[in-house]
Amino acid sequence: MNINRVFLCGRLDRDPEVTTTMAGVVVCRMVVVTTIKRGEAEATEWHRVIAWGELARACAHYSKGQRIHVQGSLQTRAYQGEDKIERLSTEVVVSRVHGLGFRGNGDPVSTP
C-alpha cells in the first residue's frame, strides 16, 4: 500500500496568489509556514501549497498571517529557470483547507 498524504497547520506567509490558466481553471498558490520547537531551538519550514478550481476560489479569501489547516498530497515537478538550469519544486496539492484563528473583525488570534 502507498500513501501520499500531508497535514499542515500553520500561518500564511503572504496573501494567496490567485490566477487563471489559459484553459480557464482557477489556481491559488500559497506559502504555509510551520515552526517546530525542540527545547530552546526552533525549526521553521516554508511549504508551497497549491489549490485548484473551487478550492482555489475558497483560498482566495484568506490573508497573510492567518492560520490555516491544509490536507493534501505531495507533488514534485521539474522546471527550467530563467538561467536555463533545471530545478525541482515540491508542493502540497490541496484536497481540503480550513481557515483558523481570526476574530470576527479580521484581527489574528494570538496562540501559544
Side-chain angles (χ1 to χ4, degrees):
M1 175 167 68
N2 298 313
I3 298 174
N4 180 354
R5 207 76 191 133
V6 176
F7 298 88
L8 295 174
C9 186
R11 293 193 184 277
L12 288 176
D13 181 48
R14 56 183 154 271
D15 288 340
E17 297 173 12
V18 180
T19 58
T20 304
T21 66
M22 293 179 75
V25 179
V26 179
V27 181
C28 181
R29 289 182 168 77
M30 303 176 286
V31 176
V32 177
V33 179
T34 59
T35 302
I36 298 173
K37 294 182 182 181
R38 295 186 180 124
E40 303 236 348
E42 287 186 354
T44 302
E45 295 284 336
W46 286 262
H47 311 275
R48 289 187 175 111
V49 177
I50 188 167
W52 297 89
E54 291 303 315
L55 277 174
R57 284 186 178 88
C59 292
H61 297 100
Y62 300 136
S63 58
K64 177 181 178 176
Q66 185 169 0
R67 292 186 64 218
I68 64 170
H69 174 257
V70 173
Q71 294 180 35
S73 58
L74 286 180
Q75 170 183 287
T76 302
R77 60 184 174 83
Y79 68 96
Q80 191 175 61
E82 292 178 9
D83 55 4
K84 307 291 187 214
I85 295 175
E86 188 168 309
R87 293 185 167 78
L88 295 176
S89 177
T90 301
E91 303 167 319
V92 176
V93 179
V94 175
S95 60
R96 298 181 87 180
V97 63
H98 303 283
L100 309 169
F102 266 78
R103 295 187 178 103
N105 63 2
D107 292 335
V109 175
S110 62
T111 57

